[in-house]
Amino acid sequence: MSPAHDFNFVCVQVNFVTTKVLVDSGATRSCISRKFMNNLRLKPTPIPYDQNSELLTAANTPMRVLGTVDLDIRMNGLIVSHTFTVLDTL
């Protein structure tokens, strides 16, 4: 990753695991990958059957939604709880 792209990422703690996250102010959802969710040893809350099980990327490519998880995000002493959409791949 080039240094210019580093400005889009911040270091945070997610459920006490330090990681870099992408800040995308144009995103309609906050998403994590199945792999990261598994690393946190969490299980997703399934999406209701009447909700869409796919999201579309900016290039109109579908991404499979596995469910949601609630995470605590810590940054510079601030703790924010947020619900994330879990994607099969990200």
Side-chain angles (χ1 to χ4, degrees):
M1 181 180 327
S2 72
H5 290 107
D6 263 354
F7 292 115
N8 296 330
F9 290 85
V10 294
C11 280
V12 299
Q13 278 192 329
V14 179
N15 291 11
F16 300 103
V17 175
T18 301
T19 190
K20 275 187 175 180
V21 297
L22 172 67
V23 177
D24 183 353
S25 61
T28 58
R29 301 246 186 122
S30 298
C31 301
I32 66 167
S33 67
R34 175 204 306 248
K35 181 179 176 181
F36 187 66
M37 179 195 68
N38 289 342
N39 288 345
L40 295 172
R41 296 189 172 136
L42 298 173
K43 299 274 188 216
T45 299
I47 56 171
Y49 109 97
D50 61 336
Q51 287 187 11
N52 196 351
S53 62
E54 288 185 338
L55 290 181
L56 294 177
T57 67
N60 225 20
T61 304
M63 297 189 326
R64 190 165 71 108
V65 174
L66 302 176
T68 61
V69 291
D70 295 324
L71 301 176
D72 290 334
I73 310 300
R74 291 172 173 77
M75 184 172 64
N76 297 331
L78 177 68
I79 301 172
V80 177
S81 295
H82 188 73
T83 301
F84 287 79
T85 300
V86 181
L87 301 177
D88 195 25
T89 57
L90 189 61

